Amino acid sequence: MARDPDEGDAFVFDLVDDDAAAGDVPTGPAGSGGTPDAGLAAADPSASGSPGRKRRATAQTAAVLAIVLGTGLAVEGIRDHARIERMRDIPGGVADLSAPLEETWVWDGTVGSGERSTADVVVLGDLLAFRSDDGLVALDPATGREAWTVRLRGNADCGPMVSPAWTDPASAALVCLQGTGNGAEREVVAVGPGGATAAPRVLDAADTRRYGLPHVGPDGTVLRAKRVGPRSVIDLGDAACTAAGECSGSVQAGRDLLLRAEDAATGVARWTVTVPFRAADAVQCARTFSGSWGGSDTRLVLSGQLTPDTFGAQVTAGLVHLNGCGIEASVTSDGVVLGTEIEPGRGGVVMLGTTRYAGVSFEGVARASLYAADGDVVGEVTGYPLSPAATDEVGPVTLLAVDEPARRLRAYEPDGTPRWDIVLQSGGQEFLAQVGDTAVVTSGAGTVRGLDLATGAERWVWDGSAPVSADDGGYFGSVHVVQAFTDGESVLLLTEREAGGGTQGLVALDAASGAVLWDRAGGGPITTFDLADGDTVEQGVVGDLIAVDGNLLEVTPRGVRGLG
């Protein structure tokens, strides 16, 4: 790997042995044993044709070329090549944003189950995967060609999948549950970067009775959960709900929740944890609350609409967010329980990067406890914590915290050590990107600022409400930033104008200076997806953007296209 030199310094190369580099890549999730029969196996980076091996080989060849030529042009070229290849391996990184984006390919078809308005996806290795009409489809992000398909029944539920605009969609593995009932017709399909790892595994009905109903889990697991303890421990306290569903009071005692994660391919338990019941407002214990995983056989209906045994979950690649009556906590993919110190309904746990977490409490001023991967509290911050939506991973890891009541924006080290503290320009601050020694933030009013990462001093301002050039008429109007990406030099912003029906646009800014490199009203070229009526076209970006292996893609319920 080439390391970027400072101005005037010698160019330095780290020559990495292929075998050593390959050893850094896991062969499967924890507990898998590294074989398809024992779990979900990842693609072998040492195999011929592997993208990782090709990138290392290309980088070493280019390094030798630069040494032989001995020219500044070659040095600059290898520096750019190293940056581009580095960005391919960073979640959300794009290889090159220097020129306006054009449509490079189109995959026309259904994205999602068809039951939702959002197009949920997952990034498996270097591929984009999603549910389509007949099952799972994985696309090569560079060409749009189908890398593989996995046929599924129409009632299959696959996860973890998320909206590209919501959180990091990358996952080590995907799990699909299909079939209905509690008998032999229920089965699980385990899917890795190369597609299905083995034949579908039939779920044992005895396990359902013993551990609870199955649910798709993170890291190639099936989750099972059930309430434990005698029902006599339930104490409704002063909780009550009217026939109209209006609830008051709180439930004082209830049953704990036992959560088990089993390997999707083998059924072997990876971990089991117990989440304790805590007193909760009656509204969290009502039938209308979004806890539906437990099913009717684990619900206890008392006092009209009160259901003290109900529970549900939201599963992402890094966290299982549990909710329900008296149950509000998050569990990592390794089985670490977080957030039990936060009063139910008064906060929650968020991910900060891939191995760090924060438990946020909204009792008065927002405050957060910072957790390490093992659940230990490593620091405390004041405000709502934010990690960058996009980063080049060059500068020090930075955490921003928004304290709107005090009108402060604070920067912290990963352990909560304060770095700087500045006055907020307005509400709705978001941490868009960290590129080099610049932190890029935005406000709810559409203003984007570049701040010195070390001091918080303002370096530049871009106002999306103002015309970018004299003849563009200020097409952005009043905007807010929907998504952000970086190639390590510039920051790409997907914006949405409040007026004009939510029109989206793209603008690329130099991260160091804030200069506009290029912009596109409406986001760019005409969309070529075939619509239902067959005679309508749409201008520009109409869906969510996602970066996969350095390629930028647009995802909509009607299809996917490459932008480059």
Side-chain angles (χ1 to χ4, degrees):
M1 174 65 73
R3 288 186 280 120
D4 298 345
D6 293 327
E7 193 69 31
D9 291 347
F11 198 86
V12 181
F13 300 94
D14 292 331
L15 298 181
V16 181
D17 180 74
D18 272 354
D19 292 336
D24 292 336
V25 181
T27 57
S32 69
T35 65
D37 291 336
L40 297 174
D44 180 4
S46 64
S48 175
S50 165
R53 183 180 178 88
K54 286 180 179 178
R55 286 200 288 269
R56 287 196 300 275
T58 303
Q60 291 172 9
T61 302
V64 173
L65 177 63
I67 294 172
V68 172
L69 293 178
T71 64
L73 181 61
V75 169
E76 190 64 29
I78 189 59
R79 192 203 318 253
D80 286 342
H81 178 84
R83 173 183 55 80
I84 289 172
E85 294 308 305
R86 185 179 71 245
M87 295 309 300
R88 291 186 185 277
D89 294 329
I90 297 175
V94 179
D96 185 17
L97 295 170
S98 59
L101 300 175
E102 301 290 344
E103 184 180 280
T104 57
W105 56 261
V106 173
W107 184 89
D108 192 0
T110 302
V111 179
S113 64
E115 300 174 357
R116 302 174 183 144
S117 58
T118 59
D120 292 345
V121 298
V122 63
V123 176
L124 292 176
D126 292 341
L127 302 175
L128 179 73
F130 48 86
R131 277 293 309 276
S132 194
D133 294 329
D134 297 324
L136 288 175
V137 175
L139 301 183
D140 182 321
T143 65
R145 297 191 182 96
E146 294 187 10
W148 48 258
T149 59
V150 176
R151 300 297 178 186
L152 297 171
R153 302 181 198 173
N155 59 7
D157 178 29
C158 299
M161 288 189 178
V162 296
S163 166
W166 181 53
T167 187
D168 183 6
S171 179
L174 193 65
V175 173
C176 295
L177 292 171
Q178 55 186 3
T180 59
N182 299 331
E185 63 271 21
R186 297 300 305 274
E187 59 184 21
V188 57
V189 180
V191 181
T197 62
R201 178 175 69 88
V202 176
L203 297 178
D204 192 338
D207 287 341
T208 297
R209 292 190 296 270
R210 186 180 301 116
Y211 305 117
L213 294 173
H215 192 290
V216 296
D219 198 22
T221 63
V222 172
L223 298 177
R224 296 183 184 272
K226 63 182 297 185
R227 294 281 187 167
V228 293
R231 293 186 175 183
S232 60
V233 303
I234 296 175
D235 180 2
L236 295 181
D238 61 349
C241 294
T242 67
E246 297 178 354
C247 301
S248 61
S250 61
V251 175
Q252 294 300 306
R255 302 201 295 167
D256 299 341
L257 187 71
L258 185 69
L259 180 67
R260 164 190 162 102
E262 64 187 41
D263 188 277
T266 67
V268 175
R270 293 195 190 171
W271 48 260
T272 301
V273 297
T274 300
V275 179
F277 181 98
R278 291 175 292 156
D281 289 342
V283 68
Q284 290 189 294
C285 301
R287 182 182 292 276
T288 55
F289 186 68
S290 60
S292 58
W293 176 15
S296 59
D297 57 340
T298 60
R299 294 187 183 188
L300 180 63
V301 180
L302 297 173
S303 184
Q305 298 293 311
L306 289 177
T307 56
D309 265 6
T310 189
F311 63 88
Q314 183 183 62
V315 179
T316 65
L319 280 176
V320 178
H321 299 279
L322 296 169
N323 52 54
C325 184
I327 299 295
E328 187 162 340
S330 295
V331 184
T332 72
S333 58
D334 292 326
V336 178
V337 181
L338 305 174
T340 54
E341 76 282 4
I342 304 170
E343 184 178 345
R346 300 293 188 271
V349 177
V350 297
M351 289 196 69
L352 304 173
T354 56
T355 59
R356 297 178 296 117
Y357 312 88
V360 186
S361 175
F362 295 106
E363 291 288 347
V365 177
R367 301 182 186 279
S369 298
L370 305 179
Y371 306 117
D374 60 3
D376 287 345
V377 176
V378 297
E380 305 279 343
V381 302
T382 299
Y384 186 83
L386 301 170
S387 57
T391 178
D392 61 353
E393 295 186 353
V394 171
V397 176
T398 304
L399 176 69
L400 298 187
V402 178
D403 180 4
E404 292 196 1
R407 296 189 58 79
R408 312 300 297 182
L409 179 65
R410 301 182 177 94
Y412 295 91
E413 307 291 340
D415 64 355
T417 301
R419 188 183 300 169
W420 44 261
D421 181 345
I422 63 175
V423 177
L424 282 174
Q425 298 297 307
S426 65
Q429 295 285 323
E430 294 184 32
F431 193 179
L432 297 179
Q434 179 179 322
V435 184
D437 58 358
T438 301
V440 183
V441 300
T442 186
S443 68
T447 300
V448 177
R449 294 184 296 153
L451 306 178
D452 186 289
L453 196 63
T455 66
E458 185 176 281
R459 288 180 165 176
W460 52 263
V461 178
W462 176 78
D463 187 353
S465 300
V468 176
S469 61
D471 58 355
D472 72 356
Y475 68 85
F476 276 115
S478 179
V479 306
H480 66 274
V481 178
V482 181
Q483 291 181 267
F485 301 87
T486 183
D487 62 1
E489 292 185 340
S490 57
V491 178
L492 177 69
L493 307 179
L494 175 64
T495 65
E496 185 172 84
R497 187 172 60 184
E498 294 177 359
T503 302
Q504 292 182 314
L506 291 175
V507 60
L509 306 177
D510 182 271
S513 67
V516 176
L517 303 179
W518 57 267
D519 60 271
R520 278 272 176 83
I526 291 176
T527 298
T528 58
F529 298 124
D530 291 335
L531 304 184
D533 55 19
D535 59 359
T536 305
V537 294
E538 296 181 71
Q539 177 71 30
V541 175
V542 296
D544 296 323
L545 299 182
I546 186 173
V548 185
D549 191 34
N551 300 276
L552 194 64
L553 315 180
E554 180 191 3
V555 179
T556 79
R558 297 184 303 276
V560 183
R561 64 172 176 160
L563 301 175

